[in-house]
Amino acid sequence: MEKTLVLLKPSCIERNLIGEVIGRIERKGLIIRGMKMIQLDEKILREHYAHLVDKPFFPALCASMMATPVVAMCLAGVDVVRVFREMTGATNGRKAAPGTIRGDLSMSGSLNIIHASDTPENAEIEIARFFRPEEVFDYTPANLKAVYEHDEI
Ligand code: UDP
Ligand code: MG
């Protein structure tokens, strides 16, 4: 089953929204395969946000991502990368659609609560960046048959 990498950013932790976001993940029927709290540093952020290191806002982005630990999650589901990006919403919380995590919980273009992998290829790279292999658990939740029709998984 496809996997994606999610980070609950310091803006999520500082606003006491961890439970709100994890509740949405659970209610949707996504499988939590890995979850831990980590303090990010500039080295890992320069890898994770390599596409943004030359942007003028990069130092502020780094500072905001190091303000508290983050909660890193590995989620699984059918088409989970696309499904969870759609649940995440547009980058800027003021433009993200209502009903999305950012659209409902954020008013900022940088303090936008959550990171989610954008492609299955990047998801594999990002999971390996934040989790050791033994920290990602391969188990079958008892309710899987209630989440998917038998021919969907
Ligand atoms: N970001 C920012 N200003 C911008 C664009 C992005 O502070 O103009 C931050 C924001 O926190 C965003 C992250 O950089 O989530 C990564 O940017 P990306 O374009 O990859 O957006 P995402 O994939 O998170 O929607
Ligand atoms: Mg991105």
Side-chain angles (χ1 to χ4, degrees):
M1 201 177 270
E2 189 172 274
K3 296 198 285 290
T4 194
L5 185 279
V6 171
L7 299 176
L8 307 188
K9 296 182 176 185
S11 49
C12 180
I13 280 69
E14 288 179 322
R15 292 185 49 221
N16 297 332
L17 292 171
I18 296 173
E20 164 70 31
V21 175
I22 292 177
R24 289 175 182 231
I25 288 167
E26 290 190 314
R27 293 200 298 276
K28 180 66 172 169
L30 303 179
I31 303 169
I32 300 172
R33 290 220 185 281
M35 181 161 72
K36 63 178 177 179
M37 202 168 225
I38 336 174
Q39 175 62 51
L40 302 183
D41 59 22
E42 200 169 321
K43 179 174 178 287
I44 200 165
L45 285 165
R46 292 184 82 86
E47 287 176 26
H48 183 61
Y49 286 137
H51 60 300
L52 300 173
V53 285
D54 296 327
K55 300 282 186 194
F57 60 79
F58 186 73
L61 173 60
C62 269
S64 74
M65 290 296 291
M66 297 190 297
T68 70
V70 300
V71 176
M73 304 181 74
C74 175
L75 306 181
V78 175
D79 296 333
V80 70
V81 171
R82 179 190 57 75
V83 167
F84 198 71
R85 282 288 284 195
E86 289 182 15
M87 286 172 66
T88 295
T91 303
N92 189 318
R94 296 192 298 279
K95 295 180 183 164
T100 65
I101 292 166
R102 288 168 170 169
D104 287 351
L105 306 175
S106 167
M107 281 294 285
S108 171
S110 54
L111 308 179
N112 57 6
I113 308 295
I114 193 164
H115 165 82
S117 304
D118 57 1
T119 65
E121 296 71 30
N122 284 341
E124 290 297 324
I125 294 166
E126 293 179 354
I127 291 163
R129 177 174 298 137
F130 291 99
F131 286 93
R132 294 195 300 273
E134 65 270 23
E135 293 175 324
V136 177
F137 297 91
D138 193 8
Y139 65 100
T140 303
N143 70 4
L144 205 61
K145 286 185 183 144
V147 174
Y148 293 102
E149 187 62 90
H150 64 86
D151 59 353
E152 291 179 303
I153 47 175

